[in-house]
Amino acid sequence: MKLFLIRHAETVHNVGQVWAGTTDSALTNHGILQIECLARQFSTTPVYMNTVFSSDLSRARLTAEGICRLQPPTPVGIPLTPILTPDLREKDFGSLEGLRWDSSNVPGDGTARSHGGSASSHIESESTASMRRRMTGFLNAYLLPLLFDAPNSERNVAVVSHGIILRVLWNCLVELIDPMNISIASGVSSWNGGPADLIVPNWSNTGFLNLLLEPQAAEPATHTSPSNSGKSTTTLLHGWSMKILAINSRDHLTNLRRTRGGIGSATHDTRQKRIDHFFKR
């Protein structure tokens, strides 16, 4: 299986440098073009997706729908559509949501300041343990069954989500595989030469991490129940390997330029079919 972990396209919160989290931030005009570039690259390479999972927040859902739009239909002739799940939502920043990233919004004790400034209305940010439980749940309910169902298939699966939660998903996935069976393809950028299992990936808007997961031994994979902390008690993908094929791949954005005059950073008007057609004369 080839797995594509994809971050959503640019939003108004990204441009404004404010925390979005579970807030349903709108895409910018530039974000719409990013989706078109990504979808076009997958369709012309070609990378034919068998399954696309997505956060149910609109910025991820619209990115996933854009990818699906240029994909061929399923074997039974049904258009490919993303499978939406709240498990893939971004970290909940609590009282920080809607505030700028600058340090003035985070007091010295590391807790978020409430919108109204009242301690009684303060809402804590989501904990790492909570995010790990969500990602362990997603792996067990959605991703791992695909692996076990057809371990030797040439299946392409996309997960469209958000920058922080994608890193948590990566960490949970790495823990399921023997570090000796995790490698990185030659020529991959953003790698400092250290052990592949210790890579800390980042995601630009519509950037993606591409992984190849395949069985390396005849013995079957074992499945263990996760502990309360969200961490598996034993190696789940015993006998499997993972190769990192790309980190924050952005080749599809090479020729994309932001529309000037602030239009590219503005909220996309959904009544516009294609923003590039709007600017043609």
Side-chain angles (χ1 to χ4, degrees), residues 14 17 31 46 69 80 100 145 152 156 163 165 205 207 209 231 242-243 247 250 270-271 273 275:
N14 295 150
Q17 298 185 348
R69 194 170 296 120
L80 184 65
R100 290 183 61 84
N152 295 299
N156 293 315
I165 202 67
N205 292 119
L209 179 68
K231 184 175 181 179
M242 180 168 69
K243 178 178 282 189
I247 301 174
R250 294 171 291 175
T270 56
R271 292 172 296 182
K273 292 184 179 180
I275 194 66

Side-chain angles (χ1 to χ4, degrees), residues 53-74:
F53 298 107
S54 174
S55 159
D56 61 349
L57 294 176
S58 65
R59 58 190 184 274
R61 175 180 57 79
L62 292 172
T63 302
E65 289 175 350
I67 294 171
C68 291
R69 194 170 296 120
L70 295 187
Q71 290 286 307
T74 64

Side-chain angles (χ1 to χ4, degrees), residues 26-39:
L27 294 173
T28 63
N29 289 325
H30 190 69
I32 293 295
L33 295 181
Q34 289 177 331
I35 296 171
E36 292 186 356
C37 290
L38 179 61

